[in-house]
Structures are given as structure tokens and as C-alpha cells.
């Protein structure tokens, strides 16, 4: 009985540890106050853009969004006005506890409905500490006919990258070359960017957008520098794996067609968190 109880406790602790690892990053609370209506702007227009901004924030899934300022850690305050035949939405993000203005920003368009709410919200949260689900060490493995091609990469919270392993591969005629590279670099991560995009005529909801800049050693020459921007990421539910749905980190080339591998190039696109 004691042994059974111990096993159940161990399983419970493992589940709790896994849960805590996923949700250890705090979700900030952002409040949006009703935007003021400036000259030549109706109250209806101001209310419309306020509602659209709140809806956009809520769609991200990485913020606790409140209407108004009660309970908010960060407050978005703004006004809608007219200038040079354009509607201009101007706002500030304020730290609720200190009153400090974190940043000022604006968006404008010919009509209220043409204002880019996504761009506005991205600017509004540039100094808000959003969760970074890319932080950690990840592994990607491509199983080739002559053995696996492996990438082990650590994304650090300070936006630096340590590359423990970055295999590069080349196949030409009867020869396959593989080098176990390594290196370092930097990355950017926008974990708020949950939106629908079209990839290969399919609509996919992405969770984040990232850019990666790597300087590598002991690789094939064309992979010595890996600089890729606009990578759209989709995470699984518990944030232990992700896929790049619009590209990859290129790592090799096949000169011999589908008899060896069904594409001319190979790249790391599916990653699993290992620590």
C-alpha cells in the first residue's frame, strides 16, 4: 500500500512540475480605457476602435485584458482625432503602479476601419513583459537515409542564442557529408502574434513570430550564417513542441533528387523542448 501511495505521489509531483514549468511565466494584466473622441470624430467612432483594440488583445491569449483600468498592471490610454483627412489613433501605455509612461505610439488611416489594430496593439505592448514560450533548449531531428541530422539550440531570456549542435548535410552523387556545427547568435520573439495566416492554401492560427540570427562554426560554408526573419510558430497545448509553418532553419542541400530525399534542401522546422 505504501509503495502504491508513493508511486501515485511521484506521478502527481511530475504532473505538477510540468504544469508549473508551462505556466511559470506570468500573464500581465492590461487595461484599455475608452478612447477619447477628438474634433471631427464621433463618439461612435471612438467606441468602435476601443472595442476593436480590446478584441485584438483578447485574441492573443497571452494577456489578461480588462476594460478600463481597475485591476490592470499596464494601462492603454488614447484618443482618436482627424488630421489631413486621416483618422489618427494616438495612445500611451502606462505602468499602473508607478504612473510611468512606458511608450507613446500612433496609427492612422483614411477611415476608422482601415486603422491597423494589430500594429497598434503590437506597439502598445512593446514594453509589457509578455510570456516568452520560446525560452529553453529545443531539439530538432531529421532522419536521413544515412543517419539523423540534429539541431540542439537554446533560446535564452535575454534574447541570446547558444547553439549546442547544428548539423549540416550535403548529398552529391554517392557521397553524403555531415558536419556537427555549433555557435551562437540572437533572436527576437513576438509571442503575442496569434493570428490566422494562409500557408499552402490552408489557414493556420499561429502563436508567435520569431527571427533568428546565428553565426556557426564547423558547418558547410553556406550555413555559416543563418539569418531568418518572420518565422511563424505554432506551439502545442503544453508548449513542449513547436513547428515553423512558413519555413525552416536551412541545414543542407540534396543534389540528387527525390531518390535520396524528396526536396532539394532540408531544414529544421519541428522542435521538441528537452530542458
Amino acid at each position: 500500500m505504501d509503495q502504491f501511495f508513493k508511486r501515485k505521489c511521484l506521478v502527481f509531483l511530475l504532473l505538477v512540475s510540468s504544469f508549473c514549468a508551462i505556466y511559470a511565466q506570468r500573464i500581465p494584466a492590461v487595461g484599455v480605457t475608452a478612447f477619447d473622441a477628438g474634433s471631427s470624430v464621433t463618439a461612435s467612432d471612438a467606441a468602435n476602435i476601443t472595442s476593436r483594440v480590446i478584441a485584438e488583445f483578447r485574441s492573443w491569449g497571452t494577456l489578461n485584458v480588462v476594460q478600463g483600468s481597475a485591476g490592470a498592471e499596464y494601462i492603454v490610454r488614447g484618443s482618436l482625432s482627424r488630421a489631413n483627412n486621416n483618422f489618427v489613433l494616438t495612445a500611451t501605455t502606462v505602468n499602473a503602479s508607478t504612473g510611468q509612461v512606458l511608450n507613446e505610439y500612433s496609427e492612422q488611416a483614411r477611415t476608422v476601419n482601415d486603422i491597423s489594430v494589430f500594429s497598434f496593439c503590437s506597439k502598445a505592448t512593446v514594453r509589457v513583459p509578455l510570456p516568452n514560450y520560446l525560452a529553453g533548449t529545443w531539439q530538432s531531428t531529421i532522419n536521413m537515409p544515412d543517419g539523423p541530422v540534429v539541431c540542439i539550440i537554446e533560446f535564452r531570456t535575454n534574447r541570446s542564442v547558444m547553439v549546442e549542435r547544428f548539423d549540416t548535410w550535403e548529398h552529391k552523387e554517392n557521397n553524403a557529408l555531415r558536419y556537427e556545427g555549433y555557435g551562437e547568435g540572437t533572436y527576437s520573439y513576438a509571442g503575442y502574434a496569434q493570428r490566422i495566416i494562409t500557408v499552402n492554401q490552408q489557414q493556420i492560427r499561429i502563436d508567435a513570430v520569431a527571427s533568428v540570427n546565428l553565426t556557426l562554426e564547423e558547418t558547410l560554408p553556406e550555413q555559416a550564417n543563418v539569418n531568418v526573419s518572420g518565422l511563424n510558430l505554432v506551439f502545442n497545448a503544453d508548449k513542449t513542441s513547436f513547428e515553423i509553418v512558413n519555413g525552416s532553419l536551412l541545414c543542407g542541400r540534396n543534389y540528387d533528387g527525390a531518390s535520396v530525399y524528396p526536396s532539394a534542401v532540408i531544414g529544421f522546422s519541428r522542435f521538441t523542448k528537452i530542458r
Side-chain angles (χ1 to χ4, degrees):
M1 190 70 175
D2 288 344
Q3 198 68 23
F4 176 75
F5 179 74
K6 289 178 180 178
R7 283 199 299 270
K8 291 193 70 174
C9 285
L10 178 60
V11 170
F12 176 77
L13 288 172
L14 288 172
L15 289 172
V16 169
S17 298
S18 176
F19 182 88
C20 291
I22 297 167
Y23 296 103
Q25 303 188 67
R26 281 189 65 258
I27 306 295
V30 173
V32 181
T33 62
F35 296 148
D36 296 329
S39 60
S40 303
V41 172
T42 67
S44 176
D45 284 334
N48 172 35
I49 198 69
T50 302
S51 296
R52 288 173 58 204
V53 167
I54 291 172
E56 176 66 28
F57 277 140
R58 285 177 174 163
S59 75
W60 292 359
T62 50
L63 294 170
N64 290 324
V65 185
V66 297
Q67 195 161 356
S69 58
E73 299 170 89
Y74 304 91
I75 304 169
V76 176
R77 298 184 177 128
S79 63
L80 184 66
S81 60
R82 292 289 295 272
N84 299 323
N85 294 322
N86 280 340
F87 285 88
V88 182
L89 180 59
T90 304
T92 60
T93 299
V94 179
N95 185 313
S97 62
T98 66
Q100 177 189 7
V101 174
L102 300 181
N103 62 322
E104 302 176 355
Y105 41 92
S106 65
E107 284 289 330
Q108 61 179 299
R110 298 288 290 180
T111 70
V112 175
N113 288 334
D114 287 334
I115 291 176
S116 175
V117 171
F118 176 77
S119 177
F120 175 85
C121 292
S122 300
K123 294 175 182 178
T125 52
V126 71
R127 295 182 183 276
V128 174
L130 295 162
N132 179 358
Y133 295 121
L134 194 57
T137 303
W138 305 79
Q139 178 170 329
S140 179
T141 301
I142 305 172
N143 291 311
M144 302 301 292
D146 57 335
V149 179
V150 177
C151 175
I152 300 175
I153 186 169
E154 179 188 2
F155 295 97
R156 296 175 171 175
T157 56
N158 64 359
R159 295 302 197 265
S160 67
V161 179
M162 182 59 63
V163 183
E164 183 177 327
R165 179 172 172 181
F166 196 103
D167 289 357
T168 55
W169 178 91
E170 180 182 67
H171 192 281
K172 184 179 295 184
E173 296 178 352
N174 295 320
N175 298 314
L177 300 175
R178 180 187 289 98
Y179 297 91
E180 292 186 13
Y182 60 91
E184 58 187 13
T186 60
Y187 75 103
S188 65
Y189 176 83
Y192 52 76
Q194 298 189 356
R195 64 186 192 276
I196 303 296
I197 66 168
T198 301
V199 178
N200 296 327
Q201 299 182 332
Q202 291 186 331
Q203 289 194 317
I204 298 175
R205 183 181 180 87
I206 64 169
D207 299 309
V209 176
S211 297
V212 178
N213 300 288
L214 307 177
T215 300
L216 304 173
E217 299 183 42
E218 302 296 333
T219 65
L220 292 170
E222 62 187 81
Q223 269 80 47
N225 294 286
V226 177
N227 301 304
V228 191
S229 60
L231 297 172
N232 293 317
L233 311 182
V234 175
F235 287 90
N236 66 345
D238 58 5
K239 307 297 188 295
T240 57
S241 68
F242 72 85
E243 180 180 358
I244 303 171
V245 296
N246 66 327
S248 64
L249 303 182
L250 295 179
C251 62
R253 183 175 297 278
N254 165 37
Y255 293 93
D256 297 307
S259 61
V260 176
Y261 192 76
S263 62
V265 296
I266 65 170
F268 300 113
S269 61
R270 293 181 174 87
F271 289 81
T272 300
K273 197 167 192 176
I274 59 174
R275 56 182 180 268

